Amino acid sequence: MTARSTRCTTAAKTRTSRLAAVAAIAVAGSMLLTACGDQTDSATKEGGGAANSAPLFSKLPADIQKAGVIKVGTDASYAPMEFTQDGKIVGVDPDIAAALGKQLGVKFEFVSGTFDGLITSLETGRQDIVMSSMTDNKKRQEGLDDDGKKIGKGVDFVDYFSSGVSLLVKKGNPQGVDSLDDLCGKTVAVQRGTIYEDTFKAQATKCGSNKLTIQAFDTDAEAQTRVKAGGAVADLNDYPVAAYIAKTSGGGNDFEVVGNQTDVGLMGIAVSKDKTQLRDAVKEALDAIIKDGTYADALKKWDVEGSAVKSATINAGK
């Protein structure tokens, strides 16, 4: 809600007659009440007040209603999910958040930070939710580190996106690749030290004597260049990233995504465990935009329709 800068003020001139003074005050008081009443009504209509007519506004906690804003922590460095363009955070997540905001009657305000500090920002209250392509898993739900040690109270997730890894091939798919099994006897390119390299190594074992040759590079950009040049038949990456590369590289003429996603998992909107009312309101809003089609529109805009969920779930990640 935009705060008004105009104040309601009154001025009184000295009167010689007490009766005249009383009359003047009465008239001024009436004008004051009318003016300030108009200002209050207008303020209510502009932001988080009872007049908010959004379908799910009443589902939100009182403090969020009053603020008119849901503060969102993100790491805006993961195109096309969330990234900075011309000084603004854009992508799949901001577009989904905008649709959620229309259902809830509040603005989703994104602030970028380091990924490993996002859950902490919920615990300290700096952010209300995290929306940053965050995988919903039991460790995050329970506040555990990689060794299973308790390091926090954990978070709840409203699951909104399903993503696995996908193969990226040269435009036109000249080698007819449709799955990992089609790579046997061929050469692939990948970024060194990633889970994608591990996937290719596992496939190489499966291929056996029909050898799969793996060329590993320091960056994924180098692997992409190798595929584009024809020195390798495929690269492997997260589905939304692969889809974005296919859409943008060379004006969409360099690559395409093929086959089904593998190792699919859920991404969730993280909410502090003590904010169940906010969590449930976000879940209801997600179901609403899935039903009315605005969720599908947001995914279509970024060519990631394959990651759509059919309904909102809570803590469904493994």
Side-chain angles (χ1 to χ4, degrees), residues 1 11 15 17 84 113 135 138 150 170 175 184 218 230 247:
M1 178 175 66
R15 306 288 184 178
S17 166
T84 302
T135 299
K138 297 301 181 184
K150 187 76 170 177
K170 193 173 182 179
Q175 297 295 320
C184 295
D218 288 337
K247 179 180 179 180

Side-chain angles (χ1 to χ4, degrees), residues 116 118-124 137-156 271-274:
D116 60 3
L118 293 179
I119 288 180
T120 301
S121 74
L122 294 181
E123 295 174 346
T124 61
N137 57 40
K138 297 301 181 184
K139 288 182 179 178
R140 287 181 174 137
Q141 292 172 24
E142 297 172 8
L144 307 177
D145 64 14
D146 290 338
D147 297 321
K149 181 181 178 181
K150 187 76 170 177
I151 56 174
K153 61 183 179 181
V155 296
D156 285 336
V271 186
S272 176
K273 282 192 175 294
D274 59 5

Side-chain angles (χ1 to χ4, degrees), residues 246-307:
K247 179 180 179 180
T248 59
S249 181
N253 296 314
D254 290 341
F255 303 103
E256 65 181 82
V257 177
V258 297
N260 297 320
Q261 299 179 56
T262 59
D263 298 328
V264 176
L266 289 168
M267 292 180 184
I269 300 169
V271 186
S272 176
K273 282 192 175 294
D274 59 5
K275 293 189 176 182
T276 55
Q277 186 178 356
L278 176 59
R279 178 201 67 193
D280 293 345
V282 170
K283 178 186 182 298
E284 193 167 345
L286 179 56
D287 274 326
I289 66 172
I290 291 172
K291 184 177 181 180
D292 71 17
T294 52
Y295 169 79
D297 291 342
L299 269 58
K300 184 177 181 180
K301 174 182 175 180
W302 299 97
D303 292 337
V304 292
E305 301 99 310
S307 284

